[in-house]
Amino acid sequence: MSLHRSSAAALAALLAISVLLCSPPCATATDDHKPIVARVRKDAATSLYTIVIKVGGVPLLLDLAGPLLWLANCPTPHRTIPCGTDVCEGVNYMNHPTKGNCWNQRMSSPFDACRDGGVCTTYPYNPVNGRCTQDDATTITLAANTTDGENPLSEVSFRAVGSCAPGDLLASLPAGAAGVAGLSRLPLSLPTQFGTILKVAKQFALCLPGGGSDGVAVFGGGPFQLLAAPPVELADALRQNQLPLLKNPRSDTGAYYFRITGIAVNQQQVPTPPGAFKLDGGSGTGGAIFSTVTPYTALRPDIYRPLHDAFDAATSGIARAAPVAPFDMCYQASALNMTRLGYGVANIDLMLDGGQTWTLPGGSSLVQVNDQTVCFAFVQMAPSMPAAADSPAVIFGGFQMENHLLIFDLEKETFAFSGLLFGIRTTCSNFNFTMGSS
């Protein structure tokens, strides 16, 4: 059986169990066929993001490339999934220790799809410290509000298939996080499960905040409005200019790959090596991916160094400051002017498919690290890292996504981006979370 058919069959079985186990509000959700909205927060200590979608308002780490949902310290007893079923096979396939994020990890016990008593196991993964462990497959109750794209509406709750995890798997996650919400392209990711359970489009809008106030995620399509003067609806226009997502033929991690063809600084092409950004279909290396667990965009050395040097030259008249880790080029904050788009420095342009350009102005290229210092918000990947089938050339990090609206369509395998929202005098913290009328 092919991976596609196996995954689809497993997902259908998993969602059938979810429906059977739903509490009464779940029926309301499936009747509404409306998108759902959730708050997204930035953790100041880790520069990572959490999403509030668990019953009781418990935050979960938002992992854009995460394969599934997992929750630490499941109650005793908790719901389990029988082993020896298509459901169990599907839960385990993408999380087997010899596949995906658990590759080459030393497990405390050998791989086994069953635990004592015929309980299906799975392999939850911590994307921050890279640890993978073994625990029960389960169903987890989630809660959110439906939305018309302008306000939250009625509250709904429903069960999603995921995994339990031991409490020590929370190490390195933001304080208070109870687990991980995986938003990848895989069959058990939350966008995929929401689409089937709630009967909405398998797409989502993600607007990461820059800190302080909440950002927002909307699952299921529909309009997306932010407060401005006047309020602005963004989703329709973005969906007219979608770009293709790529798949890595050598890796099943479900990451969102996209194509970069070049980089420019101050409208001058950066001299990177030929084919530097290419996703190599034979080795599975290269390409660009989105990551919400990488705080700042990380570049392979052959791309980072030319970009660094070009930006250095373009900002040569700005007084420097001592570097602050993890950055190696910093400026005196007092020497920088502010504009509507952030610090007044040369733009960085990513050249994408179809002649589109994603512009990163000063608000996306420089980060203030203390009262006196602002740094170039890109980092170099360690040159000593061995190339593997999922070693990208560019990991487009959370800071560069902040205050840019992104829409991911899992059915069309496309994405769209708004550019920095400061340009239209709004931010990702301007979704109106005041309750609307259904």
Side-chain angles (χ1 to χ4, degrees), residues 261-287:
T261 60
I263 298 183
V265 172
N266 204 21
Q267 298 184 331
Q268 299 296 312
Q269 182 93 22
V270 173
T272 54
F277 301 96
K278 182 181 178 182
L279 174 59
D280 189 305
S283 66
T285 61

Side-chain angles (χ1 to χ4, degrees), residues 216-229:
V216 59
V218 172
F219 299 90
F224 185 97
Q225 179 174 292
L226 292 172
L227 295 175

Side-chain angles (χ1 to χ4, degrees), residues 86-259:
D86 287 343
V87 173
C88 187
E89 179 184 347
V91 169
N92 275 288
Y93 184 86
M94 302 312 299
N95 301 286
H96 189 293
T98 61
K99 296 183 183 292
N101 291 321
C102 293
W103 176 259
N104 279 344
Q105 298 248 3
R106 290 188 178 184
M107 309 300 298
S108 58
S109 59
F111 172 74
D112 188 350
C114 294
R115 291 167 75 93
D116 293 341
V119 174
C120 182
T121 63
T122 189
Y123 291 82
Y125 169 74
N126 181 322
V128 181
N129 63 18
R131 186 178 167 220
C132 194
T133 189
Q134 179 180 354
D135 215 307
D136 293 347
T138 188
T139 58
I140 299 169
T141 302
L142 304 179
N145 288 88
T146 59
T147 183
D148 57 4
E150 299 180 19
N151 302 90
L153 303 176
S154 58
E155 182 173 315
V156 293
S157 66
F158 44 90
R159 290 188 179 277
V161 174
S163 175
C164 295
D168 60 4
L169 199 62
L170 296 172
S172 304
L173 270 56
V180 171
L183 305 188
S184 73
R185 304 160 74 177
L186 296 178
L188 295 181
S189 73
L190 288 184
T192 303
Q193 293 200 61
F194 290 162
T196 304
I197 295 171
L198 304 179
K199 295 183 171 60
V200 295
K202 292 176 183 175
Q203 61 177 258
F204 63 99
L206 180 63
C207 213
L208 297 179
S213 301
D214 293 347
V216 59
V218 172
F219 299 90
F224 185 97
Q225 179 174 292
L226 292 172
L227 295 175
V232 57
E233 201 289 316
L234 297 167
D236 284 347
L238 293 190
R239 293 190 181 104
Q240 302 305 311
N241 290 287
Q242 297 183 88
L243 293 171
L245 290 165
L246 308 180
K247 285 189 175 179
N248 188 331
R250 304 287 295 176
S251 174
D252 290 337
T253 62
Y256 293 91
Y257 279 84
F258 65 107
R259 182 179 289 109

Side-chain angles (χ1 to χ4, degrees), residues 262-263 269-279 285-287 298-310 379-385 387 391-395:
I263 298 183
Q269 182 93 22
V270 173
T272 54
F277 301 96
K278 182 181 178 182
L279 174 59
T285 61
L299 305 166
R300 207 172 52 204
D302 61 322
I303 298 171
Y304 175 81
R305 186 48 53 185
L307 173 62
H308 171 282
D309 293 348
V379 297
Q380 178 176 277
M381 295 179 191
S384 60
M385 291 176 61
S391 299
V394 178
I395 303 175

